[in-house]
Amino acid sequence: CSLGVGQIEKASLYVPELDQLAAMLKESLRGNFETVETKVVECPDLTKWGLAAPGICGNQRIIDIGGVPNLLDPKYHGTAFFSIPQIAEDVGMKGGYVYGAGAASSKVVGVNAELMPSEHISEKCRCSRYSKVLEDGSHTMEKYNSNEFGLLANLIACDGKKGKVIEVRAKKRVGQDNFVTCMRTGLAKGLQEEDEKNEKRFGTRQIGVGGVFKVKSGKVRGHVMPDFKPTVMVDGPEVEEWLHFYEMGPDLTCLSVFLTGDPTIAPSNPNGLDLRLEHTHFFSQKTNEGGHYHFDTTPDDVEYVGYFLPAPNVYRVANAFKRERILAEKKRREEKD
């Protein structure tokens, strides 16, 4: 199949003890926010945040599906579709709870759109939402009544149970990094320092984290993808210009997946699994706001509270970057011949 569907690769991630990870996250956020608290707690009932399962615990794994090349080239817009239950089954989590950030199916919505998936498959409970750009340039967010998605996604599959998680609270931003980038780069730095201390080569161990957080106060800058361009786009300034940006918030529920790095990158494998290192989408339970999180715009007023867990494995499904490299190599060979 042209999408490489069914091609699944898997890599192991480093899973610190929760107490250790909580301390590392505190250290990561300390210089960027005036007030930071992290501790191990029992996961609160996340259905109150508009999600399909009460918790984020049990057999959690990170899944990276498709990729940006599916968005850039119109030839994939009508073919790059995936099923949440099928993806869950493919990574050994049949009937599990899936949440994260991705693209909606244009077949379902009628246009290209952002997706905030939250689906507890075996419980037949779906609280997914999508956000799209309207003809007048404004945006809206609505319930998404399908288990199909398009193009790309960064997901967590788990049992959706309650259990021990890391609670992270951060208030009043004083640094430049957004909440997620700050945690991700801080953990990478902490891991590197630990590896250097133990004289281990950094690059073999990476941490992957999934979780849900709330923007309790303040506003954020987010984007919503408009409908597809009919021409091939080049990643970078062209895509930035194409996206629609809005200020949204407060009281946003955010679904987040991030990794300190790709555990498979090596001199012999410079691209690794082409993993996206962070992806966060959000929605409001009270307004029609939703989209892709970039950063908060009100540093003095912003307050975050979130619940996070490390994952022992990352799965790469239908890697679009790899497909494009293979096609380019094939084309080069044909031109040579």
Side-chain angles (χ1 to χ4, degrees):
C1 175
S2 65
L3 286 175
V5 176
Q7 294 173 351
I8 300 174
E9 296 171 279
K10 176 185 173 184
S12 297
L13 296 164
Y14 170 56
V15 181
E17 294 295 325
L18 291 188
D19 287 340
Q20 185 196 354
L21 189 56
M24 288 172 85
L25 285 169
K26 186 171 189 175
E27 185 59 31
S28 303
L29 292 160
R30 218 163 44 92
N32 210 56
F33 292 89
E34 197 169 87
T35 311
V36 179
E37 288 174 54
T38 66
K39 59 184 177 186
V40 179
V41 299
E42 198 65 31
C43 189
D45 181 1
L46 295 173
T47 60
K48 290 176 179 167
W49 282 10
L51 300 173
I56 56 168
C57 300
N59 294 305
Q60 61 275 13
R61 52 207 65 188
I62 292 171
I63 321 166
D64 190 325
I65 304 111
V68 171
N70 290 337
L71 170 67
L72 301 177
D73 194 331
K75 74 178 171 202
Y76 301 116
H77 295 169
T79 57
F81 300 109
F82 305 92
S83 145
I84 285 176
Q86 187 59 56
I87 292 285
E89 193 174 332
D90 287 346
V91 301
M93 287 300 292
K94 186 177 180 177
Y97 172 50
V98 177
Y99 69 92
S105 164
S106 56
K107 282 197 294 191
V108 173
V109 177
V111 293
N112 184 35
E114 305 287 345
L115 181 63
M116 292 67 86
S118 176
E119 180 159 352
H120 202 172
I121 301 158
S122 60
E123 298 294 319
K124 295 185 169 50
C125 181
R126 182 184 299 137
C127 293
S128 302
R129 294 160 173 88
Y130 75 95
S131 189
K132 67 178 178 181
V133 174
L134 299 172
E135 282 181 13
D136 65 2
S138 65
H139 68 281
T140 188
M141 185 271 299
E142 292 167 25
K143 289 242 161 77
Y144 187 77
N145 297 314
S146 174
N147 59 29
E148 183 177 272
F149 65 97
L151 310 178
L152 58 91
N154 298 87
L155 306 174
I156 297 285
C158 63
D159 294 331
K161 292 177 180 167
K162 291 172 101 174
K164 294 275 185 257
V165 293
I166 299 167
E167 180 184 82
V168 177
R169 291 179 180 272
K171 247 160 89 166
K172 193 174 179 182
R173 182 170 57 80
V174 291
Q176 292 304 307
D177 282 344
N178 77 49
F179 181 58
V180 179
T181 301
C182 193
M183 289 192 284
R184 180 177 65 77
T185 55
L187 285 182
K189 189 170 172 246
L191 202 51
Q192 188 171 7
E193 284 168 1
E194 205 179 283
D195 278 348
E196 280 167 3
K197 220 184 286 176
N198 299 330
E199 294 181 3
K200 285 181 188 165
R201 188 180 66 77
F202 177 62
T204 51
R205 293 198 305 173
Q206 302 291 355
I207 297 171
V209 176
V212 182
F213 65 90
K214 194 88 144 158
V215 180
K216 283 183 78 177
S217 62
K219 289 187 176 293
V220 306
R221 178 172 161 91
H223 81 236
V224 180
M225 296 187 292
D227 202 7
F228 295 122
K229 252 189 169 182
T231 53
V232 176
M233 286 196 290
V234 177
D235 204 6
E238 185 183 0
V239 174
E240 285 290 306
E241 207 175 296
W242 168 75
L243 294 168
H244 286 231
F245 288 87
Y246 308 93
E247 191 175 57
M248 306 188 226
D251 198 23
L252 305 170
T253 299
C254 308
L255 313 175
S256 190
V257 184
F258 62 91
L259 299 114
T260 56
D262 185 330
T264 65
I265 286 177
S268 60
N269 183 20
N271 298 297
L273 294 175
D274 300 288
L275 297 174
R276 185 170 188 155
L277 297 185
E278 66 179 79
H279 203 175
T280 302
H281 281 188
F282 62 86
F283 62 86
S284 167
Q285 288 170 269
K286 294 174 182 163
T287 70
N288 65 347
E289 294 180 321
H292 174 112
Y293 168 84
H294 283 264
F295 49 81
D296 61 80
T297 55
T298 54
D300 289 346
D301 304 326
V302 79
E303 183 179 352
Y304 296 99
V305 58
Y307 300 94
F308 300 93
L309 264 189
N313 295 298
V314 57
Y315 291 80
R316 189 67 171 98
V317 180
N319 182 346
F321 296 92
K322 190 175 179 180
R323 177 199 66 218
E324 292 304 298
R325 282 196 301 274
I326 291 165
L327 288 173
E329 182 56 38
K330 195 177 163 196
K331 196 178 169 190
R332 270 198 301 273
R333 276 206 214 103
E334 283 168 1
E335 282 168 0
K336 222 172 161 184
D337 295 344

